Amino acid sequence: MATSVPVRKKQSDPVRQFSIFLANKAGRLLELIRILNSRRVHVVALTILDTTDSAIVRMVVDDPDTARAIFHEQAVAHTESTVVAVELEAGTELPKVLSALLEAEINILTAYGFLVRPEGRSALCLNLDDNELGAQVLSRGGFRLLGQGDISR
């Protein structure tokens, strides 16, 4: 009998971000997080944009394939996109990241920090007006870019 071995995502796989549209109702985010956790999907980065009657929750998870399936099963309105994830070795690196993007005239559309990172290093999730060029600029600048494999189980 053959056993299946989980396929580890390649480090070069882009980090996937989900933008989830939730009713602005107390407990709705907790309900969604509990559903994800029940299937062993963990949120590793999170930001919320609140509006009058709804919220847009942007999140990065450690298992985007399972999260996508859950969102479909639960009829959760969402979109999916790629983002640039950059590791920061020290708090002093943030201005350097921002300067590199400014010099290349790349606009930041959204930015938020990771909640959990191995080895205690900080990381920043960036949605840029040109993610591909932004990733090239940061990589050439000596910054370590994270792939989905770096944050997946």
Side-chain angles (χ1 to χ4, degrees):
M1 177 161 99
T3 58
S4 66
V5 176
V7 175
R8 178 151 167 90
K9 304 279 187 209
K10 296 178 197 170
Q11 183 174 348
S12 61
D13 288 350
V15 173
R16 306 299 301 176
Q17 170 188 265
F18 292 99
S19 297
I20 301 147
F21 306 94
L22 292 179
N24 197 353
K25 179 180 166 187
R28 184 64 182 115
L29 179 60
L30 175 59
E31 179 184 329
L32 181 61
I33 298 297
R34 283 182 173 160
I35 292 168
L36 291 169
N37 285 345
S38 74
R39 300 269 295 272
R40 301 194 52 182
V41 176
H42 307 100
V43 176
V44 296
L46 176 75
T47 187
I48 301 169
L49 173 64
D50 184 35
T51 64
T52 304
D53 55 356
S54 64
I56 300 172
V57 178
R58 290 186 175 92
M59 68 172 60
V60 174
V61 298
D62 61 357
D63 186 348
D65 295 333
T66 302
R68 184 181 314 106
I70 291 168
F71 297 150
H72 288 292
E73 291 166 9
Q74 299 291 320
V76 174
H78 70 283
T79 61
E80 186 176 346
S81 59
T82 59
V83 291
V84 176
V86 59
E87 189 171 77
L88 304 174
E89 290 187 22
T92 57
E93 284 194 320
L94 180 59
K96 294 175 188 175
V97 168
L98 299 177
S99 293
L101 294 172
L102 176 62
E103 286 176 26
E105 298 182 0
I106 298 170
N107 291 319
I108 299 170
L109 305 176
T110 58
Y112 53 99
F114 276 73
L115 302 171
V116 182
R117 282 282 304 125
E119 301 171 18
R121 291 197 175 126
S122 300
L124 190 61
C125 183
L126 299 167
N127 184 16
L128 308 170
D129 63 357
D130 187 336
N131 283 337
E132 188 175 327
L133 179 60
Q136 291 172 4
V137 165
L138 292 173
S139 182
R140 282 194 305 252
F143 296 99
R144 179 171 183 251
L145 299 180
L146 304 174
Q148 189 67 49
D150 293 309
I151 60 175
S152 293
R153 298 182 263 116

